[in-house]
């Protein structure tokens, strides 16, 4: 029995070898497939966790942007009011001075100037902070996720502070220059309009459009600078101020400033800022419309679809209304004006694109 079995095995030895090799190969292939599937699953899980962490960090960064805007609006409002002080003029008018008409003319220019400047500067503040904080946010994400490999952080606290302090240009020199330009435009558009002249809401909107055209486009004889120049100082002045004894942090800060300047000069930024300005001036007119509604007793016009077009107010009555708009525009309490701007979809998409660009790992190599 054993002899016959042994002879059988000897006769079919090659078949058994091939069968064993085949079975062993199938087993190893199965093990390799299991390992490969597990590797793919682990990689997909890691990518999902990374994307979820990145999305959470981005959303947290946007909340920080919104809170930062609200915290800076009182400073912006105070700077505008101090430089365009209409309250002192209204105090003078209460004393019935001899040059009453002259003071009213000054009040007209200052009231319109400071409310228009408030719209411009609030929109600029919101969009600029979205750019700055998303650039910083992108670098911080990279520093936290990749910095463990021993790479030096690109946005250490000192660099963050130095970089974010550049917002002071908008609150200082940039704001003063913007006030000068807007005041000149208001004087050109409204300087010749009599205080007794009545304006409808539509006519008021036309005057605002004319002021905006002067500010944003200028004229053939005097073309205007781009609005981004009010938000950041010139590149030359920044580098000149840092010319002597540049530290490593100074170099990192200048890199961030140059990247921000590139963003501010991009077509996408121009589109987003224009959208914000259009929404801001639209909301400004909505606030003004509350004062152009027909009186309750005027039944002929109050129910008409275009009832606002039938109401006109003397410019002298419009001035105090315009003058007070700065308090709703630059309100630290979330107002409809600020909320409308913060919720603009183009602004959200632009913010996401900025964050995506600077949180991508290959951005570190630039």
């Amino acid at each position: 029995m054993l002899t016959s079995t042994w002879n059988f095995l000897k006769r079919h030895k090659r078949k058994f070898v091939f069968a064993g090799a085949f079975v062993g190969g199938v087993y190893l292939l199965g093990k390799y497939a299991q390992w490969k599937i597990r590797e793919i699953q682990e990689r997909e899980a890691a990518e999902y966790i990374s994307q979820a962490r990145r999305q959470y960090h981005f959303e947290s960064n946007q909340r920080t942007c919104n809170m930062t805007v609200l915290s800076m609006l009182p400073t912006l409002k105070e700077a505008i009011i101090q430089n365009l002080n209409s309250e002192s003029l209204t105090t003078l008018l209460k004393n019935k001075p001899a040059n009453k008409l002259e003071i009213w003319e000054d009040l007209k220019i200052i009231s319109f100037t400071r409310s228009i400047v408030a719209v411009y500067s609030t929109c600029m503040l919101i969009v600029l902070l979205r750019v700055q904080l998303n650039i910083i946010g992108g670098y911080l994400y990279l520093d936290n996720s990749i910095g463990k490999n021993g790479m030096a952080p690109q946005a250490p606290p000192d660099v963050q502070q130095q970089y974010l302090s550049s917002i002071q240009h908008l609150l200082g020199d940039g704001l003063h220059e913007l006030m000068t330009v807007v005041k000149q435009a208001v004087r050109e558009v409204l300087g010749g309009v009599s205080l007794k002249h009545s304006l409808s809401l539509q006519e008021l909107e036309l005057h605002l459009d004319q002021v905006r055209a002067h500010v944003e486009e200028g004229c053939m004889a005097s073309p205007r600078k781009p609005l981004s120049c009010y938000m950041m100082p010139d590149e030359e002045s920044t580098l000149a101020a840092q010319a002597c004894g540049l530290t490593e942090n100074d170099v990192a800060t200048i890199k961030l400033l140059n990247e921000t300047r590139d963003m501010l000069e991009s077509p996408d930024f121009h589109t987003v800022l224009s959208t914000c300005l259009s929404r801001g001036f639209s909301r400004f007119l909505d606030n003004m419309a509350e004062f152009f509604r027909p009186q309750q007793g005027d039944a002929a016009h109050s129910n008409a679809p275009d009832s606002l077009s039938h109401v006109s107010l003397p410019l002298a009555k419009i001035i105090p209304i315009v003058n007070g708009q700065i308090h709703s525009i630059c309100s630290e309490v979330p107002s409809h004006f600020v909320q409308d701007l913060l919720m603009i979809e183009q602004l959200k998409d632009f913010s996401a694109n900025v964050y995506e660009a600077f949180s991508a790992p290959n951005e570190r190599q630039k």
Side-chain angles (χ1 to χ4, degrees):
M1 181 66 179
L2 291 174
T3 304
S4 61
T5 302
W6 176 251
N7 291 333
F8 175 80
L9 292 174
K10 287 178 65 177
R11 287 196 307 271
H12 299 282
K13 181 174 65 173
R14 183 172 296 179
K15 293 180 181 179
F16 282 114
V17 170
F18 285 141
F22 176 76
V23 171
V26 170
Y27 174 80
L28 292 176
L29 184 62
K31 285 293 186 181
Y32 175 78
Q34 290 178 358
W35 173 78
K36 201 66 179 176
I37 291 172
R38 186 166 57 250
E39 182 186 36
I40 293 172
Q41 290 174 337
E42 289 175 353
R43 184 168 62 248
E44 289 178 346
E47 290 177 356
Y48 175 80
I49 293 173
S50 176
Q51 290 175 0
R53 185 184 299 117
R54 195 175 180 186
Q55 181 65 25
Y56 175 81
H57 188 264
F58 169 73
E59 292 172 356
S60 176
N61 200 52
Q62 303 324 295
R63 290 191 293 270
T64 300
C65 289
N66 294 344
M67 295 303 296
T68 304
V69 168
L70 294 174
S71 69
M72 296 189 71
L73 284 176
T75 303
L76 177 63
K77 179 173 70 174
E78 185 64 24
I80 297 173
I81 290 176
Q82 282 184 354
N83 287 277
L84 297 168
N85 190 348
S86 61
E87 285 72 20
S88 61
L89 296 178
T90 56
T91 300
L92 288 175
L93 287 173
K94 292 178 181 178
N95 297 326
K96 298 181 180 180
N99 60 339
K100 180 179 178 180
L101 182 59
E102 181 182 346
I103 295 175
W104 263 106
E105 289 293 334
D106 290 341
L107 182 61
K108 173 180 69 175
I109 301 301
I110 288 180
S111 296
F112 275 91
T113 298
R114 79 176 193 171
S115 289
I116 293 173
V117 167
V119 175
Y120 271 112
S121 55
T122 300
C123 292
M124 291 176 182
L125 180 68
I126 288 173
V127 183
L128 177 57
L129 280 174
R130 283 297 178 105
V131 172
Q132 287 192 310
L133 292 180
N134 278 295
I135 288 177
I136 283 290
Y139 278 126
L140 285 178
Y141 174 81
L142 284 177
D143 289 343
N144 292 332
S145 59
I146 305 177
K148 296 178 181 178
N149 296 333
M151 298 179 66
Q154 293 214 28
D158 289 345
V159 171
Q160 294 177 44
Q161 184 176 1
Q162 193 174 0
Y163 167 63
L164 293 176
S165 67
S166 64
I167 196 73
Q168 293 302 319
H169 179 76
L170 175 58
L171 302 176
D173 293 343
L175 184 63
H176 292 151
E177 188 175 355
L178 177 63
M179 290 177 187
T180 300
V181 172
V182 172
K183 191 173 185 178
Q184 180 183 355
V186 170
R187 198 180 299 278
E188 291 177 2
V189 173
L190 293 170
V193 181
S194 169
L195 296 169
K196 297 179 181 179
H197 182 72
S198 292
L199 295 175
S200 66
L201 188 64
Q202 287 77 7
E203 290 171 329
L204 179 61
E205 182 177 6
L206 288 175
H207 285 305
L208 285 176
D209 289 342
Q210 291 174 1
V211 172
R212 287 191 62 186
H214 278 78
V215 173
E216 299 170 33
E217 303 168 12
C219 59
M220 294 298 293
S222 179
R224 294 299 183 195
K225 296 180 180 179
L227 295 178
S228 59
C229 73
Y230 304 117
M231 290 177 261
M232 289 194 71
D234 293 337
E235 184 175 3
E236 292 75 11
S237 62
T238 302
L239 294 175
Q242 301 281 357
C244 300
L246 288 176
T247 66
E248 187 175 342
N249 283 351
D250 292 334
V251 173
T253 303
I254 291 174
K255 178 176 180 288
L256 289 173
L257 291 173
N258 288 337
E259 288 171 336
T260 304
R261 192 174 288 105
D262 290 341
M263 281 290 174
L264 266 57
E265 294 172 355
S266 69
D268 287 344
F269 178 85
H270 176 76
T271 299
V272 171
L273 180 57
S274 296
T275 301
C276 286
L277 289 172
S278 296
R279 182 73 61 85
F281 280 104
S282 177
R283 170 56 68 176
F284 172 77
L285 287 167
D286 288 344
N287 292 347
M288 293 295 299
E290 296 298 322
F291 301 90
F292 281 82
R293 298 195 180 281
Q295 299 297 321
Q296 292 183 353
D298 192 357
H301 293 152
S302 60
N303 295 324
D306 59 344
S307 59
L308 294 179
S309 64
H310 295 286
V311 178
S312 296
L313 296 176
L315 183 56
K317 287 189 176 182
I318 296 176
I319 290 172
I321 302 171
V322 171
N323 187 52
Q325 290 302 306
I326 188 173
H327 299 292
S328 63
I329 295 171
C330 298
S331 173
E332 64 272 25
V333 178
S335 62
H336 291 299
F337 183 90
V338 176
Q339 291 285 13
D340 275 1
L341 296 179
L342 295 176
M343 297 302 292
I344 292 175
E345 286 300 322
Q346 291 94 324
L347 179 61
K348 293 180 180 180
D349 293 342
F350 179 68
S351 300
N353 290 337
V354 174
Y355 183 86
E356 178 75 19
F358 287 92
S359 64
N362 58 356
E363 185 68 27
R364 281 183 83 94
Q365 307 302 324
K366 291 185 179 181

